[in-house]
Amino acid sequence: MENNDFFIKIVNNEKGKGLFSNRIFKEGDIILEEKPIVCCQFSWNSDYGYLACDHCLRPLETAQENAQRLTGNPNLFLPYSECCETNKNLMTECPACGAKYCSIECQNEAFQRYHSVLCLQSRMKDESHSLTQLNETWKQMHYPPETATIMLLARMVALVNQANNKQDVLSIFSQFCHRTTNDTHEIAHNLLGEKFVGQIDVLRQMMQTALNTEYTAHWFTPDGFRSLLALVGTNGQGIGTSAFSRWVKNVSALDLPKDQRIYIDKLINRIYDDMEEVVGSFLNNEGSGLYILQSSVNHSCTPNAIAEFPYSNNTLVLKAIRDIQVGEEICTSYLDECELERSRYSRQKALSSLYLFVCHCDKCQTQINDPNVTSDEELDDDDVSS
């Protein structure tokens, strides 16, 4: 695939595809914007009251309601309400199952693409229904922090079942990497370890019971289901949205008198401190989605781009974080900032278990002779020596 800004090509057998620049991108430039083929909110995230559109994950709380819930303070007041982007007048819900949406457009799109199948087979308020039981079983197997949800797989099946041209949709999903192992380095995906064998088969059988799998039968053989889990595990892009963070961004852009700016900055810092005490790092509506272009972007421990969600919905924006030259590979980090600061051995361990590859980026190559110890072990050694 190629356009004026970037092109995709095969890098090697281990990495597969990569995204490369067709022009110079300056720091801060947007490289691409993309909506997912399918996405879904994490199961525990939803159950804990993180209110998000069932289709696009846009927040369904006002910024003030969001801040009140996350701080545990129902009396908290946010000034400048015009900086809140949540419009409750546009919200709607499925009359059959109660799924909530930020707009009638999202509701209609969800119904036309996958929700009709899921809603006809399920009334999510019915705790005895097979899809509800599937979701509950997944939750008991996978506690927070979440990186995936079985309901994303259910939406994938529904998307195929509801499509006019089912082969076209299956062909799209086949483009994603779905290796369960990296044979070159004898790595198995961490969702597929020996301790999960029994769980995987339970989930496979429950999904077959809950959904019509006629058109996706190859996904529900034992090996096919492992590949499906690996597809989601290696390609799923985390999505995070927050009404409060959007309010913060909009308030921060206001031209305020100095005393008001000082007051607002102190208020924001205090609220974030209170949130950290109550919910820790669990601030956002969180879910996972599959993006065709983004899935071609490889990892680097010294990335030149970052994936963001600036519209507080599932639209992914890939942005340059330093200048990128013509022909240069565009890379993001699959690890967060804290993980990037850990030892080479720690980074390699995380990347191999989650994404089935050994990183050969410039940073890893310069640290190739570093000792094979985790950052935690390094800290322990420092404590002993001090």
Side-chain angles (χ1 to χ4, degrees), residues 121-179:
Q121 297 186 62
S122 169
R123 296 294 179 263
M124 295 304 280
K125 295 174 183 176
D126 179 3
E127 294 182 1
S128 66
H129 192 277
S130 53
L131 270 180
T132 307
Q133 290 180 341
L134 173 67
N135 190 39
E136 288 302 314
T137 301
W138 169 268
K139 284 163 53 186
Q140 297 312 310
M141 293 176 178
H142 298 272
Y143 289 95
E146 297 171 276
T147 57
T149 171
I150 197 69
M151 301 314 291
L152 181 62
L153 277 67
R155 287 193 180 180
M156 292 168 65
V157 174
L159 201 65
V160 175
N161 286 347
Q162 212 171 307
N164 292 326
N165 192 327
K166 295 169 176 44
Q167 284 304 317
D168 282 355
V169 180
L170 286 169
S171 177
I172 291 172
F173 285 128
S174 71
Q175 296 175 33
F176 289 94
C177 170
H178 52 272
R179 293 177 302 166

Side-chain angles (χ1 to χ4, degrees), residues 26-305:
K26 294 294 185 181
E27 180 181 349
D29 283 353
I30 292 176
I31 300 167
L32 62 86
E33 293 191 9
E34 183 178 17
K35 286 187 174 294
I37 302 167
V38 64
C39 73
C40 188
Q41 187 177 7
F42 291 142
S43 299
W44 281 109
N45 189 266
S46 174
D47 272 16
Y48 281 140
Y50 289 73
L51 301 177
C53 175
D54 197 57
H55 182 62
C56 78
L57 267 66
R58 185 183 297 278
L60 299 182
E61 296 176 300
T62 65
Q64 180 166 294
E65 289 170 339
N66 188 216
Q68 287 174 343
R69 178 172 58 81
L70 294 177
T71 60
N73 180 5
N75 298 316
L76 177 64
F77 170 76
L78 292 185
Y80 304 106
S81 59
E82 69 275 12
C83 291
C84 173
E85 298 178 358
T86 305
N87 188 340
K88 291 201 164 188
N89 293 326
L90 298 178
M91 294 178 192
T92 182
E93 67 177 56
C94 174
C97 69
K100 293 178 171 54
Y101 300 95
C102 66
S103 65
I104 191 65
E105 289 79 15
C106 267
Q107 181 180 357
N108 289 341
E109 185 174 347
F111 192 81
Q112 291 163 9
R113 297 189 67 224
Y114 56 83
H115 188 72
S116 175
V117 164
L118 295 177
C119 194
L120 285 172
Q121 297 186 62
S122 169
R123 296 294 179 263
M124 295 304 280
K125 295 174 183 176
D126 179 3
E127 294 182 1
S128 66
H129 192 277
S130 53
L131 270 180
T132 307
Q133 290 180 341
L134 173 67
N135 190 39
E136 288 302 314
T137 301
W138 169 268
K139 284 163 53 186
Q140 297 312 310
M141 293 176 178
H142 298 272
Y143 289 95
E146 297 171 276
T147 57
T149 171
I150 197 69
M151 301 314 291
L152 181 62
L153 277 67
R155 287 193 180 180
M156 292 168 65
V157 174
L159 201 65
V160 175
N161 286 347
Q162 212 171 307
N164 292 326
N165 192 327
K166 295 169 176 44
Q167 284 304 317
D168 282 355
V169 180
L170 286 169
S171 177
I172 291 172
F173 285 128
S174 71
Q175 296 175 33
F176 289 94
C177 170
H178 52 272
R179 293 177 302 166
T180 58
T181 61
N182 180 325
D183 296 331
T184 305
H185 299 285
E186 299 181 348
I187 303 167
H189 195 278
N190 72 340
L191 276 177
L192 306 173
E194 290 184 8
K195 63 181 179 178
F196 296 128
V197 171
Q199 295 182 356
I200 291 169
D201 206 49
V202 167
L203 293 170
R204 180 177 68 87
Q205 293 178 30
M206 291 186 75
M207 278 197 72
Q208 282 185 303
T209 300
L211 296 164
N212 172 14
T213 58
E214 175 186 357
Y215 305 106
T216 54
H218 61 291
W219 285 353
F220 289 91
T221 64
D223 285 343
F225 195 66
R226 287 169 59 85
S227 292
L228 192 62
L229 284 171
L231 184 156
V232 170
T234 54
N235 295 281
Q237 166 66 48
I239 301 168
T241 66
S242 165
F244 178 69
S245 68
R246 293 297 297 170
W247 177 86
V248 169
K249 181 176 181 180
N250 292 334
V251 166
S252 298
L254 293 177
D255 184 15
L256 298 176
K258 184 177 180 180
D259 60 335
Q260 280 296 301
R261 174 57 59 199
I262 292 172
Y263 166 75
I264 285 294
D265 288 347
K266 286 183 176 179
L267 175 66
I268 291 170
N269 288 336
R270 188 175 77 245
I271 290 173
Y272 273 125
D273 287 343
D274 291 345
M275 287 179 177
E276 186 173 359
E277 279 193 25
V278 176
V279 296
S281 60
F282 298 98
L283 300 181
N284 298 334
N285 306 318
E286 293 187 341
S288 180
L290 296 175
Y291 298 79
I292 294 178
L293 294 175
Q294 176 274 335
S295 71
S296 299
V297 179
N298 288 312
H299 165 85
S300 172
C301 296
T302 52
N304 54 19

Side-chain angles (χ1 to χ4, degrees), residues 5-6 19 25 29-33 305 318-320 324 330:
D5 292 338
F6 53 81
L19 190 75
F25 287 99
D29 283 353
I30 292 176
I31 300 167
L32 62 86
E33 293 191 9
L318 189 66
K319 186 174 75 174
I324 300 172
I330 298 167

